[in-house]
Amino acid sequence: MKPFVHLAEGGYQPFTFHGSDKTWLYIVLVAGVIGILAGLNLMRSVLAADQGSAKMREIATAIQEGAEAFLSRQFKTIAIIVVPLAIAIYFTGTKVVDEMNSVVMSSSENGLWRVVCFLVGAAFSGLTGYIGMSTAVRGNVRTAAAAVATQRTKEALRVAFRTGAVTGLLCVGLGLVGAAGIFLVFQNSATTVLVGFAFGASLLALFMRVGGGIFTKAADVGADLVGKVEAGIPEDDPRNAATIADNVGDNVGDCAGMAADLFESYVITIISALILGYAATGKSTSLLFPLIIPAIGVIASIIGVYAVSSRDSDKNALQPINRGVWLSSIITIVASYFVARYYVGETKVFLAVLAGVGLSLLASFITEYFTSTERTPVKEIAESAKTGPATTVLSGIAFGLESSFWAVLSIVLALAAGIGLGGGDVKQTLYYVSLIGIGLLSTAGMIVSEDSFGPVSDNSAGVAEMAGEFEGNTERVLVSLDAVGNTTKAITKGVAIGSAVIAAVALFASFIETAGSQLNLTGDVFQQLPINIADPKTFIAGLIGGSVAFLFSALAIRAVGRSAGTVVQEVRRQFREHPGIMDYTEKPEYGKVIAICTAASQRELATPALLAILTPVAVGFGLGYLALGGFLAAAIITGQLMANTLSNAGGAWDNAKKFIEDGFGGGKGSEVHKAAVIGDTVGDPFKDTAGPALNPLIKVMNLVSLLILPVVITQESHTGVRYGIAASASVIVLAAILWSKRGTVSMGD
């Protein structure tokens, strides 16, 4: 038996590049660079567009300054957390040996490069979010100006979607350059440091999602409760002190947060496929294929973006967007077939990619069905609003719960395709599952573009309304874009949730492989390391894992409620102390509400972050590595179900409100509308805070488990050390939870 050595995630992969392998790798890098350049070119064209009237520019500047102030504070907070985590990651470094047991990378070297990759992943994720937000707050006023100047959907859609595409193309470009660049530099040892890159991206996504989500929904809920419900004024009325903060929140939550979220999904999906590629087939072509398909997707996404153009025959802006999505998907499918057939030399890998693209389209359809104003669920929720807020809330929750079933079924079908392609071989099956994830996110450039289009269109309507330009065809165009934007945001959330599950499954496989390496097992490690739910430790860990999604959601929603309470009090104070606000003789103090939301989002960030990072530590060291596997399995399942329920229920409530505002049931100001506003208010933290944040939560816990696994196994016999670490992590998490349960701010006078 060979001597015991520490092996990192994926281990040393003894492949050798042949023929065109390196050429393909350079093509991948070039495709990533093209994606970045295309995004920058779109940014230039967006910034060159007309900014409208002086009043519109003034409002847009206020939104821009608020968003940049928030992100500046957010990044400072994150930096405080990243530094100790980087130190901890260094000590997770493991010795890497080749097939001859020669040391390729020492533990200290591996730890150092993991830290470097961790910081690069965090920086890329943060950069994607920042540029996306920065472009969005400039694109909103230009979209509004286009609608005012032309009174046509075509021109406004063009500006709004290309603004979103800046984020989309930079996301995939940076992700591909990062993953392929690290692979090119480290080659056979790449998978041992790529996990650091993935963790950096995931951590930033979690922070951006939670922090941005708390900000945006605290402002949104506060604005709705005092403005629409109490004062009876329109959604984006400039007399509401929370209006600017609400518009700021759209950008920091949906643009910056979603960009970081899908960036990390994109990166993790690629990395998991790289880890499994060579292990499954022993061929360098299988290793490179997961990089080539995203490269194709980048080019296809660029073509799809430029193809989005409204026609006179279109019923709404969703039709031209869908044409762009279908075009990019078809290009990806056709090109993938030829690469699979003539480079890899088999069609099964193509079928896996095809299943992933199919899953993306199916997930989009399911989400669109449950959240679109054109579909039955939204219309039924609007109908239920005729009998009051209670039935509105009940109807939305029911459709959210139902949507989870269909979303899970679509993922089951995709995973079944992977099982069929694997033919009973576990490693082959898992490789095909990872390729399904690659197919799912192959057109991530279009997916992120769709998502970022949502807050841009929402903000453009707000800018126009606050500037007094919201009337006639301008209102019709911008309201239509806003409704479609709500649907595209919901659709992309559905795809993001699906990608999180697929990526988590692949990461879970890496977890088992890593455990096998650490235990020096040979042969099929999946047979030798079964996770037995009948084992009391594993069952307990499963219960904890299953409950984490519920606790995390509760923390996020409570944070929104507490922060919204403070906003409500501030807006009420301004109305009470400055009565001239209502007749426009006094100006609201927008900055105070922005400051409240910024401070609240940073204060509330700590507990969810500690829960995600330390819960796997407590379970792993306290109950063992097999129990940790049970914890992850349960967390993946419940996290997916909860994410779909929250996101789709919230999206359905939002569009039911807009359906009523278009004239159903009496329109704006009616009792039916007031009931729908209550439903939308309940749904806001569901769809924009808790639901989306569950995606990075799942992957952060998976990656933390991977990083600590070698230490967990080596300390198995040192019960004192194990239990000490587990107890310390548990105490910190429990203390943070108790702190988060401090009294909610009263919303009364």
Side-chain angles (χ1 to χ4, degrees), residues 30-43:
V30 170
V33 172
I34 290 173
I36 295 171
L37 293 176
L40 294 175
N41 183 61
L42 285 174
M43 182 191 298

Side-chain angles (χ1 to χ4, degrees), residues 539-572:
F539 189 78
I540 292 170
L543 290 175
I544 296 171
S547 65
V548 167
F550 289 84
L551 178 58
F552 182 88
S553 300
L555 292 170
I557 294 170
R558 185 184 295 122
V560 170
R562 189 162 36 241
S563 303
T566 308
V567 172
V568 166
Q569 287 188 335
E570 173 60 23
V571 177
R572 284 175 175 170

Side-chain angles (χ1 to χ4, degrees), residues 110 545 615:
N110 185 251
T615 306

Side-chain angles (χ1 to χ4, degrees), residues 299-331:
I299 305 302
S301 293
I302 294 172
I303 296 171
V305 166
Y306 281 97
V308 174
S309 181
S310 182
R311 301 171 183 171
D312 292 338
S313 58
D314 290 334
K315 292 176 60 179
N316 54 48
L318 190 60
Q319 288 184 290
I321 293 173
N322 283 340
R323 284 196 297 271
V325 172
W326 277 99
L327 178 61
S328 60
S329 299
I330 291 169
I331 293 171

Side-chain angles (χ1 to χ4, degrees), residues 56 59 63 136 139-148 156-157 159-160 236 247 250-251 453-467 469-470 474 477-479 481-482:
M56 292 168 68
I59 294 166
I63 296 170
N140 52 24
V141 67
R142 290 164 171 82
T143 301
V148 171
L157 171 63
V159 177
D236 290 305
N247 283 274
D250 289 337
N251 294 284
F453 160 78
V456 172
S457 59
D458 187 0
N459 266 207
S460 65
V463 169
E465 185 169 351
M466 285 185 282
E469 303 276 3
F470 203 59
T474 298
V477 168
L478 293 178
V479 167
L481 289 182
D482 187 14

Side-chain angles (χ1 to χ4, degrees), residues 46-71:
V46 168
L47 296 179
D50 179 49
Q51 299 183 60
S53 66
K55 183 64 175 177
M56 292 168 68
R57 293 196 298 272
E58 178 189 343
I59 294 166
T61 299
I63 296 170
Q64 179 182 328
E65 290 173 351
E68 290 179 349
F70 166 80
L71 277 191

